[in-house]
């Protein structure tokens, strides 16, 4: 098997939800293909294995990866990992997890249990990414360049790497971070991909906007959200501009404060509307040309905001439209690169960063920045 053809996050969450319902004693009756594939990738199960031992070992390692605390403890009881809880009924495990969070069972089920399952799925993906070595028969399109010698034999890109971007007759250094966005520090502007309603993802999900929303919010001593800063400021902007309940033009970029992320040296969060919800469905449409427009508007806005925020000089971009928008990552970086090159040709004083949660995405960004390709006309 080739990782990083990672199992999708949603598929892992679905299998973890089924495991929660059955518990470890029900592993033999479940067919958890994605979890078993991840266990094989992590070296916890032999290829072709159908036994439950590898999946149980993987879930235990994933829960350990959460690092304890309320989240880790609740995850352990959710799956029946502590001694003596292996055969507990699902309702008893859920009740104990709710007690850990200090909430009722129904509230835990509707909110916190989703967080537990989502974070455990993330931990599985991190474990697989760290231990997997891409095979030479990887089905992805070949990179447009030969890898640097410094990367030869590595299992994943470094957490921070600098890539030279060709801008005319010179090169401009671009920094690519492989981490979760809330771990970034000292970058003045972080850009998030948004829908044209400028409505943020729910705080219990794992998208970039959801993570920024959680990290920027002001929280109480038990982790409860006291001020949903980004959502509040976006709603204020929409109301002030007469767009409440309506859409903005694709490519629009709206600024908010960084909320609690200011403690990490972040000054502003920019929300770039690049995906348009398709009426009457759960799907989205995206015109890749709007990605280049959004990038241009990010720098236009940043230049304008230097009046109120002197010294604003560093910007971190994501891959736009590759989540719910469904756009291929290599297509997204192609359109970003075209707009970015044009901006830096006019002013290369900007410090430009990219953030990627998974190594595969980081590699796509690096390949795209090094490529000489142009965005389609």
């Amino acid at each position: 098997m080739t990782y990083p053809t990672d199992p999708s996050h949603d598929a892992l969450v679905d299998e973890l939800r089924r495991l929660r319902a059955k518990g470890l004693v029900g592993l033999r009756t479940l067919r958890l293909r994605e979890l078993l594939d991840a266990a094989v990738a992590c070296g916890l199960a032999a290829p072709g294995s159908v036994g439950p031992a590898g999946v149980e070992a993987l879930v235990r390692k994933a829960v350990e990866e959460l690092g304890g605390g309320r989240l880790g403890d609740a995850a352990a009881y959710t799956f029946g990992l502590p001694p003596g809880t292996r055969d507990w009924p699902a309702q008893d495990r859920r009740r104990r997890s709710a007690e850990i969070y200090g909430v009722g069972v129904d509230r835990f089920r509707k909110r916190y249990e989703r967080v537990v399952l989502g974070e455990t799925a993330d931990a599985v993906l991190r474990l697989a990414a760290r231990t997997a070595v891409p095979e030479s028969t990887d089905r992805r399109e070949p990179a447009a360049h030969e890898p640097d010698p410094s990367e030869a034999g590595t299992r994943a890109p470094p957490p921070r790497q600098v890539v030279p971007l060709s801008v005319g007759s010179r090169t401009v250094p671009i920094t690519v971070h492989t981490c979760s966005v809330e771990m970034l520090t000292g970058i003045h502007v972080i850009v998030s991909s948004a829908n044209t309603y400028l409505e943020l993802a729910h705080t219990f999900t794992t998208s970039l906007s959801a993570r920024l929303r959680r990290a920027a919010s002001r929280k109480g001593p038990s982790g409860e959200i006291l001020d949903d800063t980004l959502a509040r400021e976006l709603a204020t902007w929409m109301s002030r501009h007469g767009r409440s309940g309506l859409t903005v033009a694709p490519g629009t970029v709206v600024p908010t404060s960084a909320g609690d992320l200011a403690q990490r040296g972040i000054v502003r969060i920019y929300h770039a509307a690049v995906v348009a919800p398709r009426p009457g469905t759960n799907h989205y449409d995206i015109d890749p040309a709007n990605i280049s427009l959004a990038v241009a508007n990010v720098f236009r806005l940043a230049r304008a905001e230097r009046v109120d925020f002197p010294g604003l000089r560093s910007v971190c971009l994501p891959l736009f439209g590759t989540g719910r928008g469904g756009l291929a990552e290599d297509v997204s970086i192609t359109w970003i690169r075209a707009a970015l090159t044009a901006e830096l040709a006019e002013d290369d004083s900007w410090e430009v960063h990219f953030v990627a949660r998974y190594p595969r995405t980081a590699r796509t960004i690096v390949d795209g920045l090094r490529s000489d390709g142009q965005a389609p006309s």
Side-chain angles (χ1 to χ4, degrees):
M1 165 178 185
T2 300
Y3 257 76
T5 54
D6 300 325
S8 71
H9 178 271
D10 290 346
L12 281 172
V13 169
D14 179 66
E15 290 193 355
L16 288 168
R17 184 177 291 112
R18 290 163 55 201
L19 177 59
R20 185 216 68 81
K22 291 284 189 178
L24 296 179
V25 295
L27 263 176
R28 291 189 178 278
T29 65
L30 293 171
R31 292 293 178 265
L32 305 176
R33 179 176 178 179
E34 303 290 359
L35 284 169
L36 184 56
D37 283 351
V40 171
C42 292
L44 300 172
S49 171
V50 295
V55 172
E56 180 175 342
L58 174 69
V59 173
R60 288 187 180 277
K61 285 183 70 69
V63 171
E64 290 174 5
E65 176 88 359
L66 298 179
R70 291 194 311 171
L71 176 62
D73 291 347
Y77 277 97
T78 291
F79 301 110
L81 301 180
T85 66
R86 186 182 186 87
D87 62 346
W88 279 17
Q91 63 268 28
D92 290 349
R93 287 184 272 111
R94 177 179 280 162
R95 185 178 301 109
R96 181 68 184 97
S97 297
E99 290 172 357
I100 291 171
Y101 270 91
V103 298
V105 172
D106 192 54
R107 184 180 179 192
F108 177 81
R109 177 181 62 83
K110 291 180 178 178
R111 179 175 181 181
Y112 295 100
E113 190 168 270
R114 296 182 183 183
V115 175
V116 168
L117 295 174
E119 291 296 319
T120 305
D122 289 342
V124 169
L125 290 172
R126 288 196 299 272
L127 289 169
R130 284 205 298 266
T131 56
V133 181
E135 300 170 6
S136 59
T137 55
D138 198 331
R139 299 177 199 172
R140 293 174 299 151
E141 289 296 320
H145 68 285
E146 290 297 321
D148 287 345
S150 61
E151 292 182 25
T154 59
R155 295 185 173 183
R160 181 180 182 275
Q161 56 187 320
V162 178
V163 182
L165 174 67
S166 296
V167 180
S169 60
R170 63 191 189 280
T171 60
V172 177
I174 309 294
T175 305
V176 180
H177 303 264
T178 307
C179 66
S180 190
V181 67
E182 64 267 35
M183 302 305 295
L184 296 174
T185 60
I187 299 175
H188 298 151
V189 177
I190 295 182
V191 184
S192 177
S193 184
N195 59 58
T196 52
Y197 284 91
L198 290 177
E199 292 185 355
L200 299 178
H202 292 296
T203 56
F204 54 76
T205 63
T206 60
S207 67
L208 178 74
S209 66
R211 289 178 173 274
L212 284 172
R213 181 178 183 179
R214 285 198 303 271
S217 64
R218 182 168 60 87
K219 304 173 188 65
S222 299
E224 70 275 19
I225 294 177
L226 302 178
D227 182 11
D228 195 352
T229 310
L230 302 189
R232 173 176 54 78
E233 293 187 16
L234 280 175
T236 299
W237 188 95
M238 293 289 279
S239 176
R240 188 168 64 245
H241 289 80
R243 305 306 297 170
S244 295
L246 303 175
T247 61
V248 297
T252 299
V253 178
V254 175
T256 63
S257 73
D260 269 19
L261 280 170
Q263 300 177 37
R264 302 185 67 87
I266 313 300
V267 179
R268 304 291 275 168
I269 307 293
Y270 287 180
H271 307 266
V274 294
V275 295
R278 194 180 303 166
T281 73
N282 291 321
H283 303 293
Y284 293 80
D285 294 317
I286 181 168
D287 180 349
N290 290 325
I291 292 176
S292 290
L293 177 60
V295 172
N297 284 335
V298 163
F299 286 95
R300 178 193 58 79
L301 177 59
R303 286 191 294 271
E305 288 211 314
R306 279 175 166 169
V307 174
D308 296 321
F309 302 95
L312 211 63
R313 69 178 186 278
S314 54
V315 175
C316 183
L317 300 169
L319 283 187
F320 294 109
T322 59
R324 295 293 298 276
L327 193 67
E329 291 181 346
D330 58 342
V331 174
S332 181
I333 190 59
T334 298
W335 288 88
I336 293 172
R337 185 187 189 280
L340 184 59
T341 302
E343 292 296 325
L344 294 178
E346 296 295 324
D347 179 5
D348 63 4
S349 66
W350 291 101
E351 296 177 11
V352 179
H353 302 250
F354 281 84
V355 63
R357 193 169 168 203
Y358 301 116
R360 175 185 59 187
T361 304
R363 282 190 288 267
T364 301
I365 293 172
V366 170
D367 290 349
L369 292 174
R370 287 174 172 159
S371 170
D372 291 329
Q374 299 295 320
S377 60

